[in-house]
Amino acid sequence: MIKTDESITPQFWEKKSLLEMNEAEWEALCDGCGKCCYRKYLDEDDELYYTRIACNLLNTKTGKCTNYPKRFEYEDDCTKLTKDNLPDFTWLPKTCAYRLIYEGKPLFDWHPLISGNSKSVKLAGIGIKNGIHERDVIDWFDFIIDGE
């Protein structure tokens, strides 16, 4: 079962907009899949490609950042998702809770807030398989994946 914070309203994601959520609720929306921490490639035609190249701070087995509090100090291009950059969420995976809520869609059954199980994302096979760290990559095009 997932540990809940007192500042988190039960089923807040169904009752509040992203703008209305407090910090604890905002953070709780993250399902921990790690997909947002994999590199993307935007070509000259603005076509977005997803890769299985992970940020060097991402634990590719767990989908968790190994230094979340200091990630911006170590990764210049790490993006902080905030209420101010909501319109920029289109690059997030279609399974991302932030994107789903922003688009007025429900969370998937495997999301830990729905399932009550912190391992449900992994059990559902939502993460990226065979991730490789950026430091180990020479040619990004070898690691482009289909879909998100």
Side-chain angles (χ1 to χ4, degrees):
M1 195 66 165
I2 294 184
K3 181 182 163 192
T4 56
D5 183 308
E6 289 179 14
S7 60
I8 296 178
T9 304
Q11 296 178 304
F12 67 90
W13 62 94
E14 295 174 346
K15 301 171 185 173
K16 296 182 177 184
S17 73
L18 289 169
L19 294 174
E20 296 169 320
M21 292 179 191
N22 64 40
E23 186 69 22
E25 292 166 338
W26 180 268
E27 288 292 325
L29 266 185
C30 179
D31 61 32
C33 73
K35 287 181 179 179
C36 61
C37 299
Y38 282 83
R39 303 300 185 194
K40 291 112 191 118
Y41 173 73
L42 189 65
D43 72 11
E44 61 278 351
D45 296 323
D46 289 335
E47 181 89 21
L48 183 65
Y49 296 92
Y50 292 86
T51 75
R52 56 185 185 90
I53 303 169
C55 159
N56 289 320
L57 292 177
L58 185 71
N59 178 323
T60 59
K61 302 278 188 263
T62 65
K64 307 282 187 212
C65 182
T66 58
N67 199 343
Y68 189 76
K70 294 186 177 184
R71 65 194 184 281
F72 303 115
E73 294 175 32
Y74 297 107
E75 291 292 325
D76 294 336
D77 58 352
C78 184
T79 303
K80 181 171 178 68
L81 303 177
T82 68
K83 296 173 183 181
D84 293 332
N85 63 13
L86 288 175
D88 299 331
F89 282 20
T90 57
W91 61 268
L92 289 170
K94 292 177 183 171
T95 58
C96 179
Y98 297 99
R99 182 173 175 176
L100 290 168
I101 300 297
Y102 182 70
E103 293 175 351
K105 297 176 182 172
L107 299 181
F108 289 96
D109 290 344
W110 48 258
H111 192 288
L113 289 171
I114 304 291
S115 70
N117 181 349
S118 61
K119 295 181 171 107
S120 60
V121 175
K122 188 171 183 99
L123 292 170
I126 302 306
I128 294 184
K129 293 167 184 54
N130 302 314
I132 185 169
H133 284 109
E134 187 174 28
R135 63 181 168 261
D136 300 324
V137 172
I138 294 172
D139 187 353
W140 278 40
F141 293 101
D142 291 339
F143 299 95
I144 290 176
I145 56 176
D146 291 331
E148 322 171 8

PDB file of all heavy atoms in Angstrom, residues 88-105:
ATOM      1  N   ASP A  88       3.519  23.325 -22.139  1.00  0.00           N
ATOM      2  CA  ASP A  88       4.654  22.636 -22.746  1.00  0.00           C
ATOM      3  C   ASP A  88       4.626  21.123 -22.500  1.00  0.00           C
ATOM      4  O   ASP A  88       5.546  20.420 -22.873  1.00  0.00           O
ATOM      5  CB  ASP A  88       5.970  23.195 -22.195  1.00  0.00           C
ATOM      6  CG  ASP A  88       6.119  24.673 -22.502  1.00  0.00           C
ATOM      7  OD1 ASP A  88       5.579  25.130 -23.525  1.00  0.00           O
ATOM      8  OD2 ASP A  88       6.774  25.373 -21.713  1.00  0.00           O
ATOM      9  N   PHE A  89       3.592  20.604 -21.887  1.00  0.00           N
ATOM     10  CA  PHE A  89       3.521  19.200 -21.509  1.00  0.00           C
ATOM     11  C   PHE A  89       3.338  18.245 -22.682  1.00  0.00           C
ATOM     12  O   PHE A  89       3.319  17.045 -22.494  1.00  0.00           O
ATOM     13  CB  PHE A  89       2.375  18.978 -20.522  1.00  0.00           C
ATOM     14  CG  PHE A  89       2.674  19.394 -19.106  1.00  0.00           C
ATOM     15  CD1 PHE A  89       3.687  20.284 -18.798  1.00  0.00           C
ATOM     16  CD2 PHE A  89       1.920  18.886 -18.062  1.00  0.00           C
ATOM     17  CE1 PHE A  89       3.953  20.669 -17.509  1.00  0.00           C
ATOM     18  CE2 PHE A  89       2.164  19.259 -16.751  1.00  0.00           C
ATOM     19  CZ  PHE A  89       3.184  20.148 -16.466  1.00  0.00           C
ATOM     20  N   THR A  90       3.210  18.727 -23.884  1.00  0.00           N
ATOM     21  CA  THR A  90       2.953  17.847 -25.030  1.00  0.00           C
ATOM     22  C   THR A  90       4.082  16.858 -25.290  1.00  0.00           C
ATOM     23  O   THR A  90       3.851  15.836 -25.913  1.00  0.00           O
ATOM     24  CB  THR A  90       2.685  18.669 -26.301  1.00  0.00           C
ATOM     25  OG1 THR A  90       3.801  19.529 -26.531  1.00  0.00           O
ATOM     26  CG2 THR A  90       1.420  19.485 -26.156  1.00  0.00           C
ATOM     27  N   TRP A  91       5.280  17.121 -24.826  1.00  0.00           N
ATOM     28  CA  TRP A  91       6.396  16.191 -25.042  1.00  0.00           C
ATOM     29  C   TRP A  91       6.386  15.028 -24.048  1.00  0.00           C
ATOM     30  O   TRP A  91       7.073  14.030 -24.231  1.00  0.00           O
ATOM     31  CB  TRP A  91       7.749  16.912 -24.957  1.00  0.00           C
ATOM     32  CG  TRP A  91       8.020  17.562 -23.635  1.00  0.00           C
ATOM     33  CD1 TRP A  91       7.747  18.844 -23.281  1.00  0.00           C
ATOM     34  CD2 TRP A  91       8.613  16.946 -22.477  1.00  0.00           C
ATOM     35  NE1 TRP A  91       8.123  19.060 -21.973  1.00  0.00           N
ATOM     36  CE2 TRP A  91       8.663  17.921 -21.461  1.00  0.00           C
ATOM     37  CE3 TRP A  91       9.108  15.673 -22.212  1.00  0.00           C
ATOM     38  CZ2 TRP A  91       9.182  17.667 -20.201  1.00  0.00           C
ATOM     39  CZ3 TRP A  91       9.616  15.424 -20.938  1.00  0.00           C
ATOM     40  CH2 TRP A  91       9.655  16.416 -19.958  1.00  0.00           C
ATOM     41  N   LEU A  92       5.592  15.151 -22.996  1.00  0.00           N
ATOM     42  CA  LEU A  92       5.515  14.072 -22.019  1.00  0.00           C
ATOM     43  C   LEU A  92       4.831  12.850 -22.628  1.00  0.00           C
ATOM     44  O   LEU A  92       3.991  12.972 -23.509  1.00  0.00           O
ATOM     45  CB  LEU A  92       4.731  14.527 -20.786  1.00  0.00           C
ATOM     46  CG  LEU A  92       5.432  15.548 -19.899  1.00  0.00           C
ATOM     47  CD1 LEU A  92       4.470  16.095 -18.858  1.00  0.00           C
ATOM     48  CD2 LEU A  92       6.655  14.943 -19.238  1.00  0.00           C
ATOM     49  N   PRO A  93       5.177  11.666 -22.140  1.00  0.00           N
ATOM     50  CA  PRO A  93       4.535  10.450 -22.658  1.00  0.00           C
ATOM     51  C   PRO A  93       3.012  10.503 -22.471  1.00  0.00           C
ATOM     52  O   PRO A  93       2.513  11.129 -21.531  1.00  0.00           O
ATOM     53  CB  PRO A  93       5.131   9.335 -21.792  1.00  0.00           C
ATOM     54  CG  PRO A  93       6.372   9.909 -21.215  1.00  0.00           C
ATOM     55  CD  PRO A  93       6.165  11.386 -21.106  1.00  0.00           C
ATOM     56  N   LYS A  94       2.303   9.840 -23.341  1.00  0.00           N
ATOM     57  CA  LYS A  94       0.837   9.831 -23.279  1.00  0.00           C
ATOM     58  C   LYS A  94       0.308   9.161 -22.018  1.00  0.00           C
ATOM     59  O   LYS A  94      -0.850   9.315 -21.671  1.00  0.00           O
ATOM     60  CB  LYS A  94       0.262   9.149 -24.514  1.00  0.00           C
ATOM     61  CG  LYS A  94       0.491   9.948 -25.771  1.00  0.00           C
ATOM     62  CD  LYS A  94      -0.014   9.224 -26.994  1.00  0.00           C
ATOM     63  CE  LYS A  94       0.304  10.056 -28.220  1.00  0.00           C
ATOM     64  NZ  LYS A  94       0.041   9.329 -29.457  1.00  0.00           N
ATOM     65  N   THR A  95       1.156   8.425 -21.324  1.00  0.00           N
ATOM     66  CA  THR A  95       0.761   7.760 -20.086  1.00  0.00           C
ATOM     67  C   THR A  95       1.006   8.616 -18.848  1.00  0.00           C
ATOM     68  O   THR A  95       0.594   8.241 -17.749  1.00  0.00           O
ATOM     69  CB  THR A  95       1.541   6.442 -19.918  1.00  0.00           C
ATOM     70  OG1 THR A  95       2.937   6.729 -19.923  1.00  0.00           O
ATOM     71  CG2 THR A  95       1.197   5.449 -21.023  1.00  0.00           C
ATOM     72  N   CYS A  96       1.656   9.752 -19.004  1.00  0.00           N
ATOM     73  CA  CYS A  96       2.038  10.602 -17.877  1.00  0.00           C
ATOM     74  C   CYS A  96       0.816  11.230 -17.210  1.00  0.00           C
ATOM     75  O   CYS A  96      -0.030  11.830 -17.869  1.00  0.00           O
ATOM     76  CB  CYS A  96       2.994  11.689 -18.356  1.00  0.00           C
ATOM     77  SG  CYS A  96       3.490  12.817 -17.039  1.00  0.00           S
ATOM     78  N   ALA A  97       0.741  11.108 -15.883  1.00  0.00           N
ATOM     79  CA  ALA A  97      -0.392  11.642 -15.127  1.00  0.00           C
ATOM     80  C   ALA A  97      -0.538  13.147 -15.302  1.00  0.00           C
ATOM     81  O   ALA A  97      -1.661  13.650 -15.401  1.00  0.00           O
ATOM     82  CB  ALA A  97      -0.246  11.298 -13.647  1.00  0.00           C
ATOM     83  N   TYR A  98       0.557  13.885 -15.358  1.00  0.00           N
ATOM     84  CA  TYR A  98       0.478  15.332 -15.528  1.00  0.00           C
ATOM     85  C   TYR A  98      -0.188  15.666 -16.870  1.00  0.00           C
ATOM     86  O   TYR A  98      -1.059  16.517 -16.949  1.00  0.00           O
ATOM     87  CB  TYR A  98       1.868  15.974 -15.467  1.00  0.00           C
ATOM     88  CG  TYR A  98       2.541  15.786 -14.130  1.00  0.00           C
ATOM     89  CD1 TYR A  98       3.480  14.783 -13.944  1.00  0.00           C
ATOM     90  CD2 TYR A  98       2.234  16.611 -13.054  1.00  0.00           C
ATOM     91  CE1 TYR A  98       4.106  14.602 -12.723  1.00  0.00           C
ATOM     92  CE2 TYR A  98       2.851  16.436 -11.820  1.00  0.00           C
ATOM     93  CZ  TYR A  98       3.788  15.424 -11.672  1.00  0.00           C
ATOM     94  OH  TYR A  98       4.389  15.256 -10.456  1.00  0.00           O
ATOM     95  N   ARG A  99       0.245  14.972 -17.901  1.00  0.00           N
ATOM     96  CA  ARG A  99      -0.336  15.192 -19.226  1.00  0.00           C
ATOM     97  C   ARG A  99      -1.807  14.753 -19.252  1.00  0.00           C
ATOM     98  O   ARG A  99      -2.656  15.462 -19.791  1.00  0.00           O
ATOM     99  CB  ARG A  99       0.471  14.432 -20.277  1.00  0.00           C
ATOM    100  CG  ARG A  99      -0.043  14.650 -21.679  1.00  0.00           C
ATOM    101  CD  ARG A  99       0.866  14.037 -22.703  1.00  0.00           C
ATOM    102  NE  ARG A  99       0.293  14.162 -24.023  1.00  0.00           N
ATOM    103  CZ  ARG A  99       0.892  13.783 -25.125  1.00  0.00           C
ATOM    104  NH1 ARG A  99       2.099  13.271 -25.081  1.00  0.00           N
ATOM    105  NH2 ARG A  99       0.295  13.936 -26.291  1.00  0.00           N
ATOM    106  N   LEU A 100      -2.102  13.597 -18.680  1.00  0.00           N
ATOM    107  CA  LEU A 100      -3.479  13.098 -18.665  1.00  0.00           C
ATOM    108  C   LEU A 100      -4.421  14.085 -17.971  1.00  0.00           C
ATOM    109  O   LEU A 100      -5.482  14.421 -18.500  1.00  0.00           O
ATOM    110  CB  LEU A 100      -3.536  11.734 -17.972  1.00  0.00           C
ATOM    111  CG  LEU A 100      -2.909  10.569 -18.728  1.00  0.00           C
ATOM    112  CD1 LEU A 100      -2.777   9.350 -17.821  1.00  0.00           C
ATOM    113  CD2 LEU A 100      -3.702  10.235 -19.980  1.00  0.00           C
ATOM    114  N   ILE A 101      -4.038  14.548 -16.780  1.00  0.00           N
ATOM    115  CA  ILE A 101      -4.879  15.486 -16.025  1.00  0.00           C
ATOM    116  C   ILE A 101      -5.028  16.790 -16.803  1.00  0.00           C
ATOM    117  O   ILE A 101      -6.123  17.344 -16.905  1.00  0.00           O
ATOM    118  CB  ILE A 101      -4.307  15.750 -14.613  1.00  0.00           C
ATOM    119  CG1 ILE A 101      -4.227  14.452 -13.801  1.00  0.00           C
ATOM    120  CG2 ILE A 101      -5.113  16.825 -13.882  1.00  0.00           C
ATOM    121  CD1 ILE A 101      -5.530  13.774 -13.509  1.00  0.00           C
ATOM    122  N   TYR A 102      -3.942  17.282 -17.380  1.00  0.00           N
ATOM    123  CA  TYR A 102      -3.982  18.521 -18.161  1.00  0.00           C
ATOM    124  C   TYR A 102      -4.939  18.383 -19.344  1.00  0.00           C
ATOM    125  O   TYR A 102      -5.663  19.316 -19.683  1.00  0.00           O
ATOM    126  CB  TYR A 102      -2.576  18.866 -18.649  1.00  0.00           C
ATOM    127  CG  TYR A 102      -2.509  20.153 -19.425  1.00  0.00           C
ATOM    128  CD1 TYR A 102      -2.687  21.379 -18.786  1.00  0.00           C
ATOM    129  CD2 TYR A 102      -2.266  20.160 -20.790  1.00  0.00           C
ATOM    130  CE1 TYR A 102      -2.635  22.571 -19.486  1.00  0.00           C
ATOM    131  CE2 TYR A 102      -2.200  21.344 -21.501  1.00  0.00           C
ATOM    132  CZ  TYR A 102      -2.393  22.548 -20.843  1.00  0.00           C
ATOM    133  OH  TYR A 102      -2.343  23.722 -21.549  1.00  0.00           O
ATOM    134  N   GLU A 103      -4.971  17.191 -19.951  1.00  0.00           N
ATOM    135  CA  GLU A 103      -5.840  16.944 -21.104  1.00  0.00           C
ATOM    136  C   GLU A 103      -7.248  16.499 -20.696  1.00  0.00           C
ATOM    137  O   GLU A 103      -8.071  16.171 -21.549  1.00  0.00           O
ATOM    138  CB  GLU A 103      -5.204  15.884 -22.007  1.00  0.00           C
ATOM    139  CG  GLU A 103      -3.931  16.366 -22.670  1.00  0.00           C
ATOM    140  CD  GLU A 103      -3.205  15.291 -23.471  1.00  0.00           C
ATOM    141  OE1 GLU A 103      -3.587  14.098 -23.394  1.00  0.00           O
ATOM    142  OE2 GLU A 103      -2.253  15.650 -24.185  1.00  0.00           O
ATOM    143  N   GLY A 104      -7.528  16.467 -19.392  1.00  0.00           N
ATOM    144  CA  GLY A 104      -8.854  16.095 -18.913  1.00  0.00           C
ATOM    145  C   GLY A 104      -9.152  14.609 -19.002  1.00  0.00           C
ATOM    146  O   GLY A 104     -10.315  14.193 -19.049  1.00  0.00           O
ATOM    147  N   LYS A 105      -8.120  13.791 -18.981  1.00  0.00           N
ATOM    148  CA  LYS A 105      -8.271  12.338 -19.086  1.00  0.00           C
ATOM    149  C   LYS A 105      -8.041  11.678 -17.733  1.00  0.00           C
ATOM    150  O   LYS A 105      -7.333  12.219 -16.889  1.00  0.00           O
ATOM    151  CB  LYS A 105      -7.271  11.789 -20.108  1.00  0.00           C
ATOM    152  CG  LYS A 105      -7.512  12.324 -21.513  1.00  0.00           C
ATOM    153  CD  LYS A 105      -6.439  11.843 -22.467  1.00  0.00           C
ATOM    154  CE  LYS A 105      -6.666  12.418 -23.860  1.00  0.00           C
ATOM    155  NZ  LYS A 105      -5.545  12.115 -24.749  1.00  0.00           N
TER     156      LYS A 105
END
